[in-house]
Structures are given as C-alpha cells and as structure tokens.
Amino acid sequence: MCEAPRLRCGAGDAAAAAADVDVVTTGGRRRIPARSSVLASASPVLASILERRLRKDRESGKAGRSVLRIRGVTDDAAAAFVRLLDAGRCGDGEEDDMEKYAVQVLVLAHAYQVPWLKRACEGAIGARLTADSAVDVLQLAALCDAPRLHLRCTRLLAKEFAAVERTEAWRFLQENDPWQELQVLQGLHEADMRRRKWRRKRAEQRVYVELSEAMDCLDHICTEGCTEVGPAGRAPAPAPCARYATTCRGLQLLIRHFSQCHRKSCARCQRMWQLLRLHSALCDRPDSCNTPLCKRFKQKEQEKAAVKAGDDGDKWGLLVKKVKAARVFSSLANRKQMSSTSQC
C-alpha cells in the first residue's frame, strides 16, 4: 500500500457536499467536485494554482465553486486522480482506478508533483509491463522522470530484446526517432558491458579464493602432513582432511610430481614454483616455516624490492594483495558461519 504523507479521509456524498472546487478537463463536458484543502495539501503545484484562482474569484465577487482546469487527460482519468488524492493512498479500494488510468495518472502526478502517487503509478505500470509495451513505457518514463519505471523497462529490453524488435512500437521508433533508438541501444550495450565486467570480477574472485585455499592446504601439508605428503619423520594422517576431495589431494599430487620431475619446461612444476613463491609472500614466519624454499623466496623478494620492482613485480604485488584480501574474507565468513552454527 502506498500512502500520502498526510491522509485525508472523505469520499462519496460527504466529499461531494464539502467540495468547493470543480475540476474540468479539456473537453469541459463534466465537472468533478473536489475539496481545495485536499488538493492543496497533496500537491504544491495545485496549491499555487488554487490560491491564485480563489483570490481571483474573491476579487471579482464570483459566487459558487471555483473551476480548476486539468488538461491533457480524459474526464475519467481526472476523476480517478481526484479520488486518489482525496483518499490519500493507493489501497485495495483504488485498484480499479490504478488498473485503468495508471498511465494518465502518472502524467498528472508528475506534472502536479505528487511523489507518493507517482511511485504507485510506476509500480502499477511496471507490474503489467510486456515486450509489446516496453518501448512506449520507456518513453513515458523518460518524459515523466520515473527512474524506477525506466529501470524496469531497460531490464525487460535487455532480457527480451528479440521480442521487442518485432513490435510495431520499435519499428515506429526506428523510422521516426533514431536518436531515441540510439540511446536505447547504447543503454543496452552499457548494461551488457557492466554484466560482463561483473562476471569477470566474480571469476577473478573465485581464483583468489582458490589460491587462498591452496595456501592453507600447503601450510597444512608441510606442517601437519596429510594422507600422501607430509613433513619428514611424521607418519601420514590416518584420515583425509576436510579439503582432501577438492584442493588438498590435487596439491599433494602436484608436490609429488615436483619432487620427482627434472624437466625445466614442465608446466606443472612452474605452477608449483608459483605456489611456493606466493606462500612465501604471504608467510609472516619464514624462519620457523616448514614450507620448502619459503625463506629463500622471501630473501629474493626483499632484494627485488630494494632494487626496484618492474611491471612483473607490480602485478605480483597486486596478486598477493588480492589473495590476502580473499583469505581475510574467507576467514570472516567461516567465523560467522561457525558462530551462527553454535547459536543454533
């Protein structure tokens, strides 16, 4: 339910009896009784118009109700607009008006600055949005400065553009308003680029999380040992670890291959060298670390930093920062999950 900031109750005979203004549309075939106090409290534009109209009627000595002209809509739409302002809300009793006259009422709500009614019309029109009406509603949203409705139209266009292209409204737009067509296509292109960028960032984040898990598994293997690889003088673990099925077993196989392979151009060995180097960059206890080559890599990185790192160093530093951030976020997520489990 959408409500006005200040509710005004009154309808039917009581409202008609208290009416002091007649609303007249362009045709002028019907007079719609309304209360000036309700209209003025709902809209600052109507308040200004009514103030001038009532002052003019008093100065001229005119008796009877003042006349307020609302142009550009039908009598029924104007009557629905007045009823909605008089009710001060869009509840169950006003569903019929919103279903029939939402488009015209949206134009009036925008012109007379009634924000709550404008939002309600945006929701009513957006709920019935289809591929056939998307182009027309998009233009309406642009004219009435309705960002929520414009966003819903843009999403529908991106989702069902093939169906929209077959509509008469789109063909009319192509023939008569190429600038608007260009704006629509440009918006769709930008939305597609944002979606691709978001997917690329998600894929990168998954890589950083996987590297973070690999660092945890490498530390676990070199410190505690697992089923196939472990520190010298320590028996293999009796049971696989929690990550054995995903990360730990693959890392153990890679370590075994690394210890036996002597080819200089081996891709798997190069991957292991990179993991060891990444571990060294993240490790804060190189003197007591059991991971092979940790201290050696740490010294080399310090020497490079002292000389001045090139582009490769900059990229490597960025990778280290991303993996560190992924480890922090993973740790916080695990801690939150453990606390919620313990509370249950």
Side-chain angles (χ1 to χ4, degrees):
M1 179 183 292
C2 185
E3 297 186 355
R6 290 187 290 176
L7 295 179
R8 298 286 183 175
C9 299
D13 297 336
D20 56 352
V21 174
D22 283 333
V23 176
V24 180
T25 59
T26 304
R29 295 187 299 272
R30 177 182 172 189
R31 289 177 175 261
I32 304 163
R35 293 180 291 174
S36 60
S37 59
V38 173
L39 300 180
S41 64
S43 165
V45 178
L46 289 176
S48 177
I49 295 173
L50 286 169
E51 183 181 358
R52 292 197 304 270
R53 172 60 62 182
L54 293 174
R55 189 191 313 119
K56 184 177 179 180
D57 290 346
R58 285 195 301 269
E59 291 174 355
S60 62
K62 181 180 178 180
R65 298 176 181 173
S66 299
V67 175
L68 174 66
R69 297 191 180 277
I70 294 182
R71 304 181 184 277
V73 297
T74 63
D75 292 343
D76 293 335
F81 179 64
V82 172
R83 283 195 298 270
L84 288 165
L85 294 184
D86 194 67
R89 63 193 179 97
C90 294
D92 297 336
E94 291 76 26
E95 286 183 355
D96 188 53
D97 286 337
M98 293 301 295
E99 184 176 353
K100 292 180 180 179
Y101 311 112
V103 172
Q104 298 184 67
V105 173
L106 172 63
V107 175
L108 294 176
H110 171 68
Y112 294 111
Q113 299 180 14
V114 188
W116 66 268
L117 184 54
K118 185 175 177 179
R119 289 194 298 270
C121 292
E122 287 185 68
I125 297 171
R128 301 191 299 271
L129 195 63
T130 62
D132 292 331
S133 62
V135 175
D136 294 331
V137 175
L138 182 69
Q139 293 177 307
L140 174 68
L143 291 172
C144 294
D145 189 22
R148 297 178 183 84
L149 187 58
H150 193 280
L151 180 60
R152 295 190 71 163
C153 292
T154 304
R155 288 177 175 174
L156 182 64
L157 283 169
K159 185 178 179 181
E160 303 182 19
F161 186 66
V164 173
E165 278 188 308
R166 296 192 295 268
T167 61
E168 185 65 30
W170 179 257
R171 289 192 290 270
F172 181 83
L173 185 69
Q174 287 180 308
E175 295 172 0
N176 298 276
D177 196 349
W179 177 250
Q180 181 69 23
E181 178 196 6
L182 179 62
Q183 286 185 318
V184 171
L185 294 176
Q186 185 177 1
L188 294 177
H189 174 69
E190 291 175 355
D192 183 61
M193 294 301 292
R194 285 194 300 269
R195 186 163 51 251
R196 291 185 181 185
K197 184 178 179 180
W198 177 75
R199 288 174 180 171
R200 186 168 61 251
K201 284 189 174 182
R202 284 198 63 183
E204 291 176 357
Q205 189 62 32
R206 282 197 296 269
V207 172
Y208 299 141
V209 171
E210 290 173 1
L211 287 173
S212 173
E213 293 179 355
M215 293 300 100
D216 292 340
C217 286
L218 183 62
D219 186 66
H220 152 70
I221 291 169
C222 296
T223 304
E224 304 169 0
C226 200
T227 56
E228 300 178 23
V229 180
R234 178 170 294 190
C241 64
R243 291 195 179 99
Y244 181 79
T246 55
T247 308
C248 194
R249 184 171 184 274
L251 190 55
Q252 289 182 83
L253 294 175
L254 186 61
I255 293 173
R256 291 182 62 181
H257 169 83
F258 180 74
S259 65
Q260 299 170 3
C261 181
H262 302 289
R263 292 182 300 162
K264 293 183 178 180
S265 59
C266 178
R268 297 180 67 186
C269 292
Q270 290 177 0
R271 191 179 304 122
M272 189 67 219
W273 277 106
Q274 291 173 347
L275 290 176
L276 291 173
R277 182 186 175 190
L278 181 59
H279 165 81
S280 175
L282 297 171
C283 183
D284 55 357
R285 46 180 181 82
D287 294 331
S288 60
C289 182
N290 292 331
T291 304
L293 305 176
C294 179
K295 189 172 183 180
R296 181 179 173 185
F297 273 121
K298 184 74 72 174
Q299 291 173 350
K300 283 192 173 183
E301 291 297 329
Q302 290 174 354
E303 292 173 1
K304 283 185 180 181
V307 174
K308 186 180 179 182
D311 293 339
D312 180 64
D314 295 339
K315 292 178 182 178
W316 181 259
L318 181 61
L319 174 64
V320 172
K321 289 181 181 179
K322 295 287 188 180
V323 175
K324 280 184 179 179
R327 297 188 78 179
V328 171
F329 287 133
S330 298
S331 176
L332 292 174
N334 293 335
R335 191 178 304 172
K336 184 177 181 180
Q337 185 176 5
M338 291 176 61
S339 62
S340 62
T341 305
S342 61
Q343 290 177 359
C344 293

